[in-house]
Amino acid sequence: MSSDSLLPPRVLAVASHVVSGNVGNKVAVFVLQSLGFDVAALNTVQFSNHTGYRQWTGTRATAQEITDLYNGLKQSYLDDFDMMLTGYIPGAEGVTAVGTIAKGLKEKFQNSPGKFFWVLDPVMGDNGKLYVAPEVVPAYKALLPYADLILPNQFEAEQLSDVKIVDMDSLTEAIQVLHDKFNIPHIIITSVSFTTPGHPPSHLTVIGSTMTSDRKARPFKIVFPSIDCYFCGTGDMFGALITSRIREAANAVPGLSSRASWLSDDDVAATDLPLARAAEKVLASMHQVLANTRDAMPEVMERTWALLRPEDRNDETKAHYVKSKAAELQLVTNLDSLRTPSISFSATKI
Amino acid sequence: MSSDSLLPPRVLAVASHVVSGNVGNKVAVFVLQSLGFDVAALNTVQFSNHTGYRQWTGTRATAQEITDLYNGLKQSYLDDFDMMLTGYIPGAEGVTAVGTIAKGLKEKFQNSPGKFFWVLDPVMGDNGKLYVAPEVVPAYKALLPYADLILPNQFEAEQLSDVKIVDMDSLTEAIQVLHDKFNIPHIIITSVSFTTPGHPPSHLTVIGSTMTSDRKARPFKIVFPSIDCYFCGTGDMFGALITSRIREAANAVPGLSSRASWLSDDDVAATDLPLARAAEKVLASMHQVLANTRDAMPEVMERTWALLRPEDRNDETKAHYVKSKAAELQLVTNLDSLRTPSISFSATKI
């Protein structure tokens, strides 16, 4: 880590690109740049808009194209990355190609512990359903031992751990399996669908853990009020923010950032982990951005309806497009929320 | 123009994308986002790095792919743009496809004067040489009547006006031809290669003009100290900044932003034009960003050389890669220079 340098840290962000709206790299690149990263953006698709609209145009990059782009960076010495963040990748071959990039970077910096850190968001599905081909699951499993931090949602954690998650006990079991079996240092389960005991259903829970030297989980949870809207791109915003904040939190602990995977001493309690500090800050930013997005929705909807004919308001399909557009994350008007969130949520023990 | 709205203005940015480094949309998107625009980014290529390195990998979008992406936006009512900024487009067919998008937007908003404004950077060549196919020149000429502001360099202004530019007189003649023949409201010649009388060669000159109602040029110049380095992406940074600043300057004049092409009254002097105000602010930002980029170059070079073998320092080809990387614009560390430049240059009469 070049924390003594005035130069921005370099991150490779691999995810989808949409022309209009905010998901994938369209979120990650801006958020990381706003937080001071020099971002190399490798776009795995270019679509007109996100697929939640139910219609879109555009093209996917093949695994070969992804590999070619990366080889292009390598040949000109542009592969000196401090971090890597990977999101949606189309198909198992693409996942494997991106994994090869990450493995290469791990190997390149193997003599500089802590220099390189990979944040892997294993985008596969949600709410009990895969939205990628079944062979993507084993492709991700094969890469897990190389990741420093993974960000599955509850369903993805089930797919990777083969533990059915129904409550907090089975969730912590799944985390323990992921630490044990794949040697993954840091894990955050970004959304859980069961109700957390002691909290009303209007709250959401994020669970995190950094393993000890003998791969024991140190789980913490952060509970925060949910905003009752369906947003896309929240996972991508989480990934970009945690990439920045985990680095900041590791840098705040003397010596930690030059230790492999920024693994805390065994006597650090779950709620004192840098990962907990990082996640707290991420959720504060996200809550503010989502609240502001919700507040802007009526104006965005009215502006869009003005482009249509009055009778279109009764057309459910068109209403879906108008609503999808209004639910796009408001990012550029929320720089302060991203950089210096003013609210806070606290990690607690499980 | 929705200046009474809290929502960010929407701009469609059409240009190249590079994974690493800062040219094309990689510059324009971040600069426009930093200045508060909701940016739709249509990437005309995805390359590993800019071509100044002399080696790169990646793919170009076909004209059909560009059209498909735009049709994707249209079908979901995502084409409600306030502005459009177009930069590098691969090939004459691509230029024509992008022109069709711009014409469509002009037509869509024809009953709302001033609602939509197209900034066209006719990227074709520099220093007496085309770096696009010859048929790109007539393709751009056919689009000029639809542009609100064009940003050619001296060579591109020659190609479009068919006037050989050797001094200030022939330059102003070329501007007059562009106003007259193509009805282009605003023109900025972003770089001139002759020495401006009364200024040492260490200074650069930008020339701008907004036509009167009878298409008379109102030329002004801004002279500013040059920074002795070869940077890529400066034209793209200029384009993004002027897109934001011309809107700001037009909004500052009561009623102007609801007039077609934001054309000032005939009695406004050249140096009082909103275009002059905008260009002054753009050059202030650019000068600060370029000075900071130059100052960071030695550290970037050292960091990259550390990845190579000591004997590589004598290899001219490798030195070129290392230098190209060090000359990449430093953007994320220069947010304040982009948003609130602290220096100033003044427009003067020609």
Side-chain angles (χ1 to χ4, degrees):
Chain A
M1 249 188 201
S2 51
S3 52
D4 52 339
S5 163
L6 292 174
L7 298 179
R10 272 173 66 76
V11 59
L12 175 62
V14 182
S16 52
H17 171 77
V18 286
V19 175
S20 182
N22 290 315
V23 304
N25 258 356
K26 195 77 177 299
V27 173
V29 175
F30 179 67
V31 169
L32 286 163
Q33 287 174 327
S34 297
L35 292 167
F37 280 80
D38 179 18
V39 183
L42 201 164
N43 296 332
T44 55
V45 312
Q46 176 166 226
F47 285 172
S48 55
N49 50 270
H50 70 68
T51 58
Y53 285 82
R54 298 179 201 146
Q55 61 176 1
W56 66 92
T57 57
T59 52
R60 291 173 175 79
T62 63
Q64 189 59 51
E65 282 167 351
I66 292 171
T67 301
D68 287 347
L69 282 170
Y70 192 71
N71 288 339
L73 299 182
K74 272 209 321 211
Q75 71 183 355
S76 294
Y77 308 100
L78 297 168
D79 59 337
D80 54 335
F81 296 111
D82 301 292
M83 300 189 76
M84 179 167 167
L85 168 64
T86 56
Y88 175 71
I89 304 157
E93 285 183 22
V95 169
T96 304
V98 171
T100 303
I101 295 172
K103 286 187 219 174
L105 284 164
K106 287 253 136 181
E107 202 180 299
K108 180 185 181 80
F109 298 118
Q110 61 186 335
N111 296 324
S112 310
K115 152 71 182 155
F116 175 73
F117 192 101
W118 180 21
V119 179
L120 165 63
D121 186 358
V123 181
M124 296 189 292
D126 205 357
N127 300 315
K129 266 177 74 178
L130 276 183
Y131 41 62
V132 296
E135 56 268 28
V136 169
V137 182
Y140 269 121
K141 278 187 179 173
L143 300 182
L144 292 180
Y146 303 92
D148 296 292
L149 164 61
I150 66 165
L151 307 173
N153 58 32
Q154 176 179 327
F155 173 70
E156 290 158 348
E158 279 183 344
Q159 294 291 316
L160 297 173
S161 67
D162 294 310
V163 174
K164 177 81 193 149
I165 300 173
V166 292
D167 54 16
M168 196 59 90
D169 282 348
S170 47
L171 180 67
T172 47
E173 189 196 332
I175 288 174
Q176 187 58 60
V177 167
L178 290 168
H179 283 316
D180 262 337
K181 193 166 163 190
F182 301 104
N183 198 21
I184 305 166
H186 309 272
I187 298 165
I188 293 185
I189 314 293
T190 53
S191 73
V192 300
S193 56
F194 55 83
T195 307
T196 318
H199 296 286
S202 63
H203 281 63
L204 295 175
T205 306
V206 155
I207 315 284
S209 170
T210 296
M211 70 180 190
T212 61
S213 56
D214 57 352
R215 302 192 186 181
K216 281 251 161 54
R218 277 181 279 194
F220 61 85
K221 69 177 176 190
I222 306 176
V223 179
F224 57 100
S226 86
I227 289 171
D228 192 21
C229 276
Y230 184 71
F231 300 110
C232 282
T234 52
D236 307 304
M237 180 164 55
F238 190 99
L241 287 167
I242 199 81
T243 297
S244 171
R245 298 306 184 190
I246 184 65
R247 188 171 191 275
E248 180 183 69
N251 272 337
V253 179
L256 187 60
S257 62
S258 53
R259 203 182 285 180
S261 297
W262 310 343
L263 265 179
S264 297
D265 285 337
D266 287 350
D267 61 358
V268 176
T271 53
D272 293 332
L273 290 169
L275 188 66
R277 286 298 83 70
E280 286 168 349
K281 216 159 181 179
V282 167
L283 292 172
S285 284
M286 288 194 52
H287 191 75
Q288 288 184 220
V289 171
L290 295 180
N292 294 342
T293 299
R294 175 201 54 199
D295 293 347
M297 282 180 77
E299 197 188 340
V300 182
M301 288 188 69
E302 277 318 304
R303 199 170 63 168
T304 310
W305 278 126
L307 302 170
L308 282 78
R309 297 167 306 173
E311 60 267 34
D312 288 334
R313 296 206 180 216
N314 303 319
D315 183 326
E316 269 186 43
T317 309
K318 289 179 179 170
H320 176 71
Y321 305 145
V322 173
K323 209 174 156 188
S324 297
K325 182 184 184 185
E328 294 279 7
L329 298 176
Q330 293 286 343
L331 289 181
V332 299
T333 46
N334 284 301
L335 255 184
D336 290 343
S337 299
L338 295 170
R339 291 160 68 113
T340 49
S342 56
I343 53 165
S344 62
F345 304 112
S346 296
T348 54
K349 248 189 107 167
I350 295 181
Chain B
M1 246 186 202
S2 52
S3 53
D4 52 338
S5 163
L6 293 173
L7 297 179
R10 271 172 67 77
V11 59
L12 175 62
V14 182
S16 51
H17 172 77
V18 287
V19 176
S20 183
N22 290 316
V23 303
N25 257 356
K26 196 78 176 298
V27 173
V29 175
F30 179 67
V31 169
L32 286 164
Q33 288 175 326
S34 297
L35 292 167
F37 280 79
D38 178 20
V39 184
L42 199 163
N43 296 332
T44 55
V45 312
Q46 177 166 224
F47 284 172
S48 56
N49 49 270
H50 70 69
T51 57
Y53 285 82
R54 297 178 202 148
Q55 60 176 2
W56 67 92
T57 57
T59 52
R60 289 173 176 81
T62 64
Q64 188 60 51
E65 282 167 351
I66 292 171
T67 301
D68 286 347
L69 282 170
Y70 191 71
N71 288 339
L73 299 183
K74 272 213 314 214
Q75 70 182 355
S76 296
Y77 308 101
L78 297 169
D79 59 338
D80 54 337
F81 296 111
D82 301 292
M83 300 191 77
M84 178 166 167
L85 167 64
T86 56
Y88 175 71
I89 304 157
E93 284 182 24
V95 170
T96 303
V98 171
T100 303
I101 295 171
K103 287 188 219 173
L105 283 165
K106 287 253 137 179
E107 203 180 298
K108 182 186 180 79
F109 298 118
Q110 60 184 335
N111 296 323
S112 311
K115 151 71 182 155
F116 175 73
F117 192 101
W118 179 20
V119 179
L120 165 63
D121 187 358
V123 182
M124 298 188 292
D126 206 357
N127 300 315
K129 265 176 73 177
L130 277 182
Y131 40 63
V132 295
E135 57 269 26
V136 168
V137 182
Y140 270 120
K141 279 187 177 173
L143 300 181
L144 292 180
Y146 303 93
D148 296 291
L149 164 61
I150 66 165
L151 307 172
N153 58 33
Q154 176 177 328
F155 174 69
E156 290 158 347
E158 279 183 344
Q159 295 291 315
L160 296 174
S161 67
D162 294 309
V163 174
K164 177 83 193 150
I165 300 172
V166 292
D167 54 16
M168 197 57 89
D169 282 347
S170 47
L171 181 66
T172 48
E173 190 197 332
I175 289 175
Q176 186 59 60
V177 166
L178 291 168
H179 283 317
D180 262 335
K181 194 168 162 190
F182 300 104
N183 198 21
I184 305 167
H186 309 273
I187 298 165
I188 292 184
I189 314 293
T190 54
S191 72
V192 300
S193 56
F194 55 83
T195 307
T196 317
H199 297 285
S202 62
H203 282 62
L204 295 175
T205 305
V206 156
I207 315 285
S209 170
T210 296
M211 70 179 187
T212 60
S213 56
D214 57 351
R215 303 192 186 180
K216 282 250 160 57
R218 276 181 279 194
F220 61 85
K221 68 177 176 190
I222 306 176
V223 180
F224 57 100
S226 86
I227 289 171
D228 193 21
C229 275
Y230 184 72
F231 301 110
C232 283
T234 53
D236 307 305
M237 180 164 53
F238 191 99
L241 287 167
I242 198 80
T243 298
S244 171
R245 298 307 183 188
I246 184 64
R247 189 173 191 273
E248 181 182 70
N251 272 337
V253 179
L256 187 60
S257 62
S258 52
R259 204 181 285 180
S261 297
W262 311 342
L263 267 178
S264 298
D265 285 337
D266 286 351
D267 61 356
V268 176
T271 52
D272 293 332
L273 290 168
L275 188 67
R277 286 299 82 71
E280 286 168 351
K281 217 159 180 179
V282 167
L283 292 172
S285 284
M286 288 194 52
H287 191 76
Q288 287 183 222
V289 170
L290 295 180
N292 294 342
T293 298
R294 176 201 55 201
D295 294 346
M297 282 180 76
E299 195 187 340
V300 181
M301 289 188 68
E302 276 318 304
R303 198 169 63 167
T304 310
W305 278 127
L307 302 170
L308 282 76
R309 297 166 307 173
E311 60 268 35
D312 289 333
R313 296 207 180 216
N314 304 317
D315 183 325
E316 270 186 44
T317 308
K318 288 180 180 171
H320 175 72
Y321 306 145
V322 173
K323 211 177 154 187
S324 297
K325 182 184 184 185
E328 295 277 8
L329 298 176
Q330 293 285 344
L331 290 181
V332 300
T333 47
N334 284 300
L335 254 185
D336 289 344
S337 299
L338 296 171
R339 291 158 68 110
T340 50
S342 56
I343 54 167
S344 63
F345 303 113
S346 295
T348 54
K349 248 189 109 168
I350 295 181

